[in-house]
Amino acid sequence: MRVVLVALAALAASVSAHQHVFASGPLAHHQAADARTSSEFQPGSLYAGQRLIKVGEHVSARWMSIDAIMTLRQAGVGFMDITDTQDLHAPSSSLAAYESRLPSQLTQGAAVNKTLELVSSDLYGLVLEPFTAFHNRYYDSDNGRKSSEWLQQQVQLLADDAAVNVTVSQVQHRFKQPSVVARIEGQTDETVVISAHQDSVNMWLPWFGRASGADDDGSGTVTILEALRVLLARDFAPRHAVEFHWYAGEEGGLLGSQDIAKQYRDAQRKVKANMHFDMTGFWLRDSPEVIGLVADRTDAATRSLVTQLAAAYTRLETREFQCGYGCSDHASWNAAGYRSAMAFESDKLEANTHIHTPEDKVATLDFNHMLEFTKLAVGFAYEVGNSKE
């Protein structure tokens, strides 16, 4: 923390107020204001006291200060902040909250392929340019709140033009940034969840430093937003409700997704599966182009289904890898006892060295690569959302 404070004065001198307006198109005429007043650069009240942090499945949780948590982040240690969700991590939570049945074979090919004809990368840049123009999207700050409100507006614009029953809402948390949920109604009491996280953080100056967050996780954010767009354009009316979630506070230890997974478990919601997308835009050109499939804190049946979906609806194969404890929001659903899977941009977790820095920019992303993840999300929505099993 002392190193952080020394850097603040120099960084503050370079800050100037400005606004960004993005190009014309279906989501046009909205501004993403880059909040830069001194009050908006202050951390919120979440860390007024210590937080209960867990860094491993079999490691006891410890109460930590914000300084200690920042040290974990800077060291690349994955963690979950379980302060408000401790019962998710009790021994009894290893039991399934709801043991759903996934489709044993793919049956929606004609509908999926017709919808994939509409998939385009146009929305990616249209949304990412203003979304990454926020100085950062730190979850316990006014910037984090405002960027979430802006994102919700973009989701609402898509819903407003839809012919099917879709609703858009916020989920409030103990910190400033809300999560965003879009729900396409179904005919049963089961729900499919497709997700990404919306926050971004600078590893050295979390609430103050520049964190454009184009790949982490602006790429996942627009990957599933484009999936929602084309589904609504095809008047998608699933058998089971399909929800799109944009989580707040992932960078703080999976805060938003834990809150929501706990709410669903406590309400005995029947979630068929969660399909999570965290970073979909970067891959090393000297390695094979694949869909990384997280093998830990996910379930084998959902991973197997995702592999089938990738083979049927994308041009990429999947390759499993270990992501580590607290890697991303799929782990919250797994902890709550639900099926989950996570797709990642490659099978090399640390390939993108720009994340959590000002250099995580839109220019580093491969939109053609991201399209394959949008196709995967569309296939998941159709096949699981319309499953009769």
Side-chain angles (χ1 to χ4, degrees), residues 46-47 69 73 79 81 128 131-152 171 173 175-180 195-203 205-207 209-222 224 245-258 260 276-280 326-330 332 354-357 360:
L46 184 68
Y47 297 108
I69 294 169
R73 183 182 290 121
F79 64 93
D81 183 333
L128 278 174
F131 197 50
T132 60
F134 285 95
H135 187 70
N136 59 45
R137 304 188 298 275
Y138 180 66
Y139 48 92
D140 199 22
S141 71
D142 286 340
N143 267 332
R145 174 182 58 80
K146 290 181 178 181
S147 62
S148 180
E149 291 170 348
W150 183 87
L151 176 62
Q152 183 180 357
V171 178
H173 304 288
F175 47 96
K176 291 186 177 182
Q177 185 179 59
S179 295
V180 177
S195 59
H197 76 85
Q198 56 171 293
D199 58 316
S200 69
V201 67
N202 181 298
M203 75 170 78
L205 303 163
W207 57 87
R210 178 75 169 110
S212 43
D215 194 23
D216 188 11
D217 184 27
S219 62
T221 291
V222 297
I224 69 170
H245 293 189
W246 290 268
Y247 298 124
E250 187 269 353
E251 300 288 3
L254 318 188
L255 293 167
S257 60
Q258 284 192 85
I260 293 175
H276 188 60
F277 295 84
D278 190 347
M279 298 171 56
T280 64
C327 166
S328 195
D329 296 301
H330 64 284
S332 298
H354 301 304
I355 66 168
H356 303 159
T357 79
D360 186 5

Side-chain angles (χ1 to χ4, degrees), residues 112-289:
V112 174
N113 288 322
K114 185 177 181 181
T115 301
L116 294 185
E117 294 173 357
L118 301 178
V119 170
S120 164
S121 64
D122 291 348
L123 176 144
Y124 297 161
L126 188 65
V127 172
L128 278 174
E129 289 295 344
F131 197 50
T132 60
F134 285 95
H135 187 70
N136 59 45
R137 304 188 298 275
Y138 180 66
Y139 48 92
D140 199 22
S141 71
D142 286 340
N143 267 332
R145 174 182 58 80
K146 290 181 178 181
S147 62
S148 180
E149 291 170 348
W150 183 87
L151 176 62
Q152 183 180 357
Q153 291 173 2
Q154 313 318 307
V155 180
Q156 187 65 58
L157 285 170
L158 297 180
D160 288 345
D161 289 335
V164 297
N165 186 0
V166 55
T167 56
V168 181
S169 61
Q170 284 186 347
V171 178
Q172 298 292 334
H173 304 288
R174 287 190 61 191
F175 47 96
K176 291 186 177 182
Q177 185 179 59
S179 295
V180 177
V181 174
R183 176 181 172 88
I184 305 174
E185 290 296 338
Q187 305 163 27
T188 74
D189 60 353
E190 292 186 295
T191 301
V192 179
V193 175
I194 297 171
S195 59
H197 76 85
Q198 56 171 293
D199 58 316
S200 69
V201 67
N202 181 298
M203 75 170 78
W204 299 105
L205 303 163
W207 57 87
F208 189 94
R210 178 75 169 110
S212 43
D215 194 23
D216 188 11
D217 184 27
S219 62
T221 291
V222 297
T223 288
I224 69 170
L225 186 62
E226 172 65 3
L228 175 62
R229 184 189 72 81
V230 298
L231 288 169
L232 295 180
R234 287 296 190 206
D235 297 337
F236 177 62
R239 175 179 172 83
H240 315 295
V242 174
E243 293 184 353
F244 287 78
H245 293 189
W246 290 268
Y247 298 124
E250 187 269 353
E251 300 288 3
L254 318 188
L255 293 167
S257 60
Q258 284 192 85
D259 280 352
I260 293 175
K262 182 180 184 301
Q263 290 172 16
Y264 282 37
R265 193 199 67 174
D266 291 350
Q268 299 183 325
R269 293 277 299 273
K270 297 179 179 179
V271 177
K272 287 191 78 70
N274 162 246
M275 180 77 238
H276 188 60
F277 295 84
D278 190 347
M279 298 171 56
T280 64
F282 184 93
W283 60 288
L284 296 173
R285 300 308 193 273
D286 60 353
S287 61
E289 185 182 8

Side-chain angles (χ1 to χ4, degrees), residues 358-372:
E359 299 308 308
D360 186 5
K361 298 177 180 179
V362 176
T364 67
L365 304 182
D366 182 345
F367 285 3
N368 288 327
H369 187 64
M370 290 165 58
L371 285 172
E372 304 309 309

Side-chain angles (χ1 to χ4, degrees), residues 13-30:
S14 68
V15 173
S16 61
H18 64 281
Q19 290 183 319
H20 298 260
V21 183
F22 61 97
S24 60
L27 304 182
H29 310 302
H30 290 259

